[in-house]
Amino acid sequence: MIYEKIDLYDYFSVPRNGSKGGELTVYVREKYTEIKDRIRPAMLVIAGGGYNIVSERESEPVALEFLHAGFSAFSLRYSVNTPFPAPLLEAGMAMAFIRENAEKYSVDRAHVGAIGFSAGGHLTGMLATMFDDGSLKAALGKRAELVRPDAVILCYPVITTGEYSHDGTADTISGGDKQLRRKLSVESLVTEKSSPAFIWHTQEDAAVCVRNSLMLASAYQTCGVPYELHIFERGRHGLGTVGLEVENAEHPEEVARDAAWLPLAKSYLKMHGFGLKIKE
């Protein structure tokens, strides 16, 4: 396996301006001599943590799930306790890096997705709707055209910065600026050009209200953008991949069944053309 860590600020020659994140971890299969080369879809993993930490449970375990499913996988450690636009810039640089290095990592440039959890879901939501933001164009120039995900997976995401927001997440990404906070409410940013989305949540999530996902689905419906929404009845916030790899004990069956989100999400991506291809 190819395992690398990439400093995105160094790669793109972008000034850090005090940002401490922007590290991309690469998980890519080696080419096998016995068989023809494969062209793989790519997945960028953006973990949650309220923009205060980057959750380990929602990083490498998720990347490895997609690696085993035939993807080239990448995990982003973005800047925390740092307001907009730094986290979006780092996510945008990650997407551009993946596409620029498609040949090296056997990536299908037309099928590069992103998956985000909780606050990482907010960042992924911004990536899906703000891929043409001026901050990205100013830093990346023409390379900003490489930023838009071909599809996103949003896992119990923070979406709104309004009434049903997770206030800690909204306050951190906005730096306490009320006008910026309103601007970064993802449901208000959806257009017909937004990335197709697979969204899942649990009804009893007490940290990030399920209305976040409902509001996003409603915005997608209004704009005519492809989406799929799954609401599971049981389960707390932050379930990740749901298995023992990311938990200290097994879940009861009414929560364990939430693990169905992962094969459903993979199937959704396959429906949108994310599949392993043999290179001729």
Side-chain angles (χ1 to χ4, degrees):
M1 184 176 75
I2 299 172
Y3 177 81
E4 298 176 337
K5 290 186 179 290
I6 308 296
D7 184 327
L8 293 168
Y9 285 97
D10 182 63
Y11 177 85
F12 286 100
S13 299
V14 172
R16 281 191 169 274
N17 297 323
S19 298
K20 296 181 179 179
E23 181 182 80
L24 189 68
T25 302
V26 179
Y27 305 86
V28 175
R29 291 188 184 277
E30 298 277 4
K31 295 179 180 179
Y32 302 142
T33 58
E34 297 97 333
I35 59 175
K36 293 181 179 179
D37 292 345
R38 266 54 175 165
I39 303 298
R40 302 174 183 275
M43 184 57 64
L44 174 64
V45 180
I46 305 179
Y51 286 121
N52 294 308
I53 65 167
V54 177
S55 170
E56 295 175 344
R57 297 188 308 109
E58 294 167 346
S59 298
E60 184 172 87
V62 179
L64 293 178
E65 285 283 354
F66 281 93
L67 177 71
H68 294 321
F71 288 67
S72 291
F74 305 81
S75 181
L76 176 65
R77 181 166 290 278
Y78 53 91
S79 293
V80 296
N81 298 307
T82 305
F84 179 91
L88 177 62
L89 174 57
E90 292 162 4
M93 287 193 292
M95 293 294 295
F97 174 87
I98 294 167
R99 287 200 170 98
E100 280 197 351
N101 290 274
E103 183 70 25
K104 177 181 179 180
Y105 297 126
S106 301
V107 165
D108 178 355
R109 286 168 56 97
H111 293 94
V112 180
I115 179 171
F117 297 79
S118 192
H122 181 265
L123 180 49
T124 305
M126 289 198 295
L127 199 60
T129 57
M130 300 179 71
F131 47 83
D132 58 355
D133 186 73
S135 62
L136 291 166
K137 293 178 180 179
L140 299 177
K142 190 172 179 62
R143 296 154 108 180
E145 296 175 0
L146 303 175
V147 166
R148 180 185 178 275
D150 297 300
V152 294
I153 302 171
L154 302 173
C155 310
Y156 39 88
V158 178
I159 295 299
T160 186
T161 58
E163 180 181 359
Y164 296 104
S165 181
H166 182 267
D167 285 334
T169 295
D171 287 342
T172 300
I173 192 61
S174 66
D177 183 315
K178 292 182 180 179
Q179 184 175 352
L180 179 58
R181 175 170 170 154
R182 286 193 294 271
K183 172 187 174 181
L184 301 181
S185 203
V186 174
E187 80 281 4
S188 69
L189 300 169
V190 177
T191 70
E192 67 279 358
K193 296 180 180 179
S194 297
S195 306
F198 177 96
I199 312 161
W200 75 276
H201 218 121
T202 62
Q203 181 186 348
E204 64 181 20
D205 190 327
V208 176
C209 179
V210 69
R211 289 180 185 267
N212 281 259
S213 289
L214 294 169
M215 292 169 75
L216 182 63
S218 178
Y220 265 67
Q221 181 70 29
T222 298
C223 291
V225 184
Y227 74 95
E228 189 163 304
L229 173 66
H230 295 266
I231 305 296
F232 296 94
E233 178 183 350
R234 302 295 303 276
R236 59 165 175 75
H237 185 72
L239 287 171
T241 55
V242 189
L244 272 174
E245 285 288 349
V246 296
E247 299 287 353
N248 292 322
E250 290 189 10
H251 290 293
E253 182 58 27
E254 60 266 28
V255 177
R257 62 190 297 274
D258 296 357
W261 78 263
L262 189 51
L264 286 169
K266 292 174 183 176
S267 176
Y268 180 81
L269 292 170
K270 190 171 183 179
M271 183 175 70
H272 282 270
F274 284 70
L276 190 64
K277 300 178 179 69
I278 297 175
K279 186 175 182 179
E280 298 299 338

